[in-house]
Amino acid sequence: QVQLVESGGGLVQAGGSLRLSCAASGRTFSSYTMGWFRQAPGKEREFVASISKSGGITDYSDSVKGRFTIARDNAKNTMYLQMNSLKPEDTAVYRCAADLRTLGFLGRSAVYAYWGQGTQVTVSS
């Protein structure tokens, strides 16, 4: 089992940047495929990005590709989401997720086994 804690959210103006972190504890971090999802008020949970266990493969939603970068440091048991050129439509609660299954199996679905509590990102226009 793994416990996940997000940090780094906040209020930023459009065009600004934030870096989210997801700290993991428990079982070996490198055993997990990791992902970021977000949910805005009144909307369904949305896939943002994911990264393979080694960090060698990443995937992004079309809405964030070219603006967001997912990364992980297995030595620090931490995953990151660097968010640049933020837009008001990026406003949401961002949650990290972990699963023992492979990135190829999980795809962009929200079937990850473990979830953090989330961190609020608000982008003002």
Side-chain angles (χ1 to χ4, degrees):
Q1 191 167 346
V2 64
Q3 293 78 44
L4 305 172
V5 178
E6 303 94 338
S7 62
L11 173 64
V12 64
Q13 289 188 333
S17 298
L18 283 174
R19 187 176 82 154
L20 305 184
S21 297
C22 174
S25 61
R27 193 168 168 172
T28 306
F29 182 64
S30 60
S31 299
Y32 294 91
T33 297
M34 301 294 295
W36 286 100
F37 292 79
R38 67 187 182 186
Q39 188 166 17
K43 295 188 177 181
E44 294 186 352
R45 185 178 300 176
E46 175 189 16
F47 168 79
V48 176
S50 59
I51 188 166
S52 63
K53 299 177 184 183
S54 68
I57 302 172
T58 57
D59 186 30
Y60 298 90
S61 69
D62 290 344
S63 61
V64 307
K65 190 176 295 183
R67 300 188 298 121
F68 291 10
T69 302
I70 189 171
R72 66 189 296 164
D73 186 336
N74 285 344
K76 295 183 177 180
N77 292 351
T78 304
M79 175 180 65
Y80 306 96
L81 185 68
Q82 178 66 43
M83 304 186 296
N84 299 328
S85 303
L86 282 162
K87 304 175 181 179
E89 50 264 43
D90 294 319
T91 295
V93 174
Y94 285 70
R95 299 179 71 185
C96 64
D99 198 286
L100 290 171
R101 294 170 288 189
T102 65
L103 183 61
F105 180 90
L106 293 166
R108 299 180 174 184
S109 63
V111 295
Y112 286 66
Y114 304 102
W115 293 83
Q117 291 298 308
T119 185
Q120 176 71 46
V121 171
T122 303
V123 184
S124 62
S125 58

